[in-house]
Amino acid sequence: RSGGETCGGQLHIVNIQDPQNPTFAGCYNHPDFGGTHDAQCVLYHGADEDYAGSEICLNSNGSAFIVADVTDKENTKTISTAFYPNTNYTHQGWLSEDHNYFYMNDELDEMNDVVAHTRTLIWDMSDLDEPILVKEFYLDSSASDHNLYIKGNLMYQSNYQAGLRILDITDPENPVEVGHFDTAPNADDVKGFGGSWSNYPYFKSGIIAVSSQGEGLYLLRKREVDL
């Protein structure tokens, strides 16, 4: 948290090609911002042809959203930094599978009363040099958001006391809620900690693992409902 002795609290890169003998490979550190809370790193295949095949990291740095090229571990580079209204704590996010959109949560905006409902920030990533915030999407709950992940055309949000929310992002700038499981049914869906901290929707079986701080682990399966 305070930076340690290597990478200033930002990306500490480890080579695990020999899994039993990991070795330090390099750092990414933006000098103007503090520690990286969370990052998603991918071999980029989105619309920006300038970075096709590059190893790109999307970093949630508390007070900024930072895109970095870490292809050369000895010469990592900042591509862009981006900001959004009512920043409280840039916490975490995930790319759409086509790498053209990034969905981000700010963990403390609800808690600090700068937004009234659960907010998801939607970034157009078709130009990595200039991410564009195209929408602030709000749910009907005032619960605080935490970790979100994307599989196919669905986004799986762990929103603390509102539990798991599943959103269809077939129209990437206009998500639609298609599923909900309340992991803390005895708590109101209001801002604050407690309830679902994270989830994992990537099992081949379709099972979704959802953790809830006071309740334990839930194993769920999304049902298709003909409306």
Side-chain angles (χ1 to χ4, degrees), residues 69-189:
D69 186 337
V70 300
T71 306
D72 181 351
K73 306 301 181 290
E74 297 181 357
N75 186 31
T76 58
K77 300 176 181 179
T78 300
I79 297 174
S80 58
T81 58
F83 306 92
Y84 55 91
N86 296 315
T87 301
N88 273 242
Y89 191 68
T90 309
H91 176 263
Q92 185 263 354
W94 212 254
L95 280 167
S96 59
E97 290 198 345
D98 62 8
H99 290 181
N100 289 332
Y101 287 87
F102 187 72
Y103 297 84
M104 175 190 288
N105 52 69
D106 183 311
E107 185 177 14
L108 300 182
D109 51 358
E110 297 89 5
M111 295 190 204
N112 291 333
D113 294 323
V114 299
V115 299
H117 293 88
T118 309
R119 177 174 65 155
T120 303
L121 301 144
I122 304 176
W123 297 89
D124 181 335
M125 303 301 296
S126 56
D127 181 357
L128 295 185
D129 295 290
E130 191 175 355
I132 297 173
L133 180 66
V134 292
K135 190 164 189 176
E136 297 175 72
F137 173 77
Y138 292 91
L139 285 170
D140 59 0
S141 166
S142 60
S144 303
D145 41 356
H146 200 241
N147 290 340
L148 67 84
Y149 302 97
I150 291 171
K151 181 181 180 182
N153 66 339
L154 296 177
M155 175 166 47
Y156 299 81
Q157 298 187 343
S158 280
N159 290 344
Y160 279 125
Q161 297 192 145
L164 178 71
R165 297 287 184 117
I166 303 176
L167 306 174
D168 188 316
I169 55 169
T170 301
D171 180 350
E173 296 182 17
N174 295 288
V176 177
E177 185 173 341
V178 293
H180 178 208
F181 185 86
D182 193 347
T183 65
N186 295 320
D188 293 332
D189 295 350

Side-chain angles (χ1 to χ4, degrees), residues 151 156 164 199-210 217-222:
K151 181 181 180 182
Y156 299 81
L164 178 71
N199 68 84
Y200 185 83
Y202 299 109
F203 290 114
K204 291 181 180 179
S205 64
I207 294 294
I208 308 160
V210 184
L217 177 68
Y218 292 88
L219 298 177
L220 310 176
R221 187 187 300 275
K222 180 182 176 297

Side-chain angles (χ1 to χ4, degrees), residues 38-55:
D38 202 285
Q40 184 189 13
C41 299
V42 299
L43 292 177
Y44 178 76
H45 61 252
D48 192 339
E49 295 182 357
D50 292 342
Y51 298 97
S54 298
E55 189 172 357

Side-chain angles (χ1 to χ4, degrees), residues 13-16 18 21-26:
I13 305 168
V14 178
N15 186 326
I16 57 169
D18 181 354
N21 296 288
T23 57
F24 174 72

